[in-house]
Amino acid sequence: MSRMGRVGAETSAGWRSFVRRRTAVFFTFFFPVILIVIFGALIRTDPTGEGLFTEPAAYYVPGYLAVVVLFTPLSRMGSEVARHREGSRFEKLATTPLTRGEWLLAQTAVNAAIIGLASLLILGLVVLLTGAEIAFSPLLVPYILVGVVCFCGVGAMLGSYTDSQDGAVAASNAIGLPLLFLSETFISLSQLPGWFGPLVNLSPLTYFARGVRAAT
């Protein structure tokens, strides 16, 4: 089997493994929908007021996208690596022609496909439910792909450091939640203390949010 054939076969297996897990499908596709309905359609933004949602609706598009671009690779890749370690699956894969790089590429491709579909759903609902005025730019696709690759790498490292799938998910949540709200996604830099600004610039999600905001 050629390299492309091996990557394609592993990608197909990874996709089927994902769709069989109803909990993973729910949190990937419907959890962001719940956030949009609660914060975007029910609470709504108040650009003239004070509080959390003081920017126009379009400002929060990177935040909604970050829910899947950040959490899906961290939790899914982390738990997948931890699951393979627990079941000694990497040792079994080592007896096949599939290399570590090909396995990682296949898992990244699965995450990219999942997040791409979820992003389309999120953008459509944001426009429909919040009335956000979004300018779709071709740059949006590379920003999402780079974000997926970046956080797949972080998720793979978490899976290699933790002892179990539960530990990988817990570690991804512990890292993901602060990044989600402190990376110029839902909270603007002006709402944070001045001393915290340099820390915001250390987050890779900050640059994803700025890029998506500029593209949309």
Side-chain angles (χ1 to χ4, degrees), residues 2-130:
S2 66
R3 174 170 297 179
M4 290 299 296
R6 293 193 298 270
V7 173
E10 183 64 25
T11 302
S12 177
W15 174 262
R16 291 196 301 271
S17 174
F18 167 75
V19 297
R20 283 196 297 263
R21 299 175 186 174
R22 297 178 181 178
T23 303
V25 173
F26 174 82
F27 279 101
T28 300
F29 290 98
F30 295 104
F31 181 67
V33 172
I34 294 172
L35 290 181
I36 296 171
V37 171
I38 293 176
F39 295 116
L42 297 180
I43 298 177
R44 294 185 176 274
T45 59
D46 184 13
T48 60
E50 296 181 354
L52 180 60
F53 292 94
T54 58
E55 302 289 342
Y59 179 88
Y60 301 101
V61 170
Y64 295 128
L65 289 177
V67 174
V68 291
V69 172
L70 173 66
F71 277 101
T72 299
L74 286 185
S75 61
R76 187 180 180 280
M77 184 64 81
S79 61
E80 194 73 13
V81 171
R83 184 166 66 95
H84 276 63
R85 290 176 60 211
E86 283 181 322
S88 300
R89 298 191 180 188
F90 286 126
E91 286 80 357
K92 297 175 183 176
L93 287 176
T95 64
T96 71
L98 187 72
T99 66
R100 289 176 292 181
E102 291 168 354
W103 182 88
L104 189 60
L105 177 60
Q107 298 301 321
T108 304
V110 173
N111 279 281
I114 294 169
I115 293 168
L117 293 174
S119 298
L120 290 175
L121 176 63
I122 289 171
L123 289 173
L125 286 176
V126 167
V127 173
L128 180 64
L129 297 179
T130 69

Side-chain angles (χ1 to χ4, degrees), residues 99-172:
T99 66
R100 289 176 292 181
E102 291 168 354
W103 182 88
L104 189 60
L105 177 60
Q107 298 301 321
T108 304
V110 173
N111 279 281
I114 294 169
I115 293 168
L117 293 174
S119 298
L120 290 175
L121 176 63
I122 289 171
L123 289 173
L125 286 176
V126 167
V127 173
L128 180 64
L129 297 179
T130 69
E133 297 181 1
I134 300 176
F136 292 96
S137 168
L139 292 175
L140 184 60
V141 176
Y143 276 123
I144 292 176
L145 287 178
V146 170
V148 171
V149 173
C150 172
F151 292 113
C152 275
V154 177
M157 288 189 290
L158 290 178
S160 67
Y161 297 146
T162 52
D163 296 329
S164 64
Q165 294 184 65
D166 292 338
V169 173
S172 67

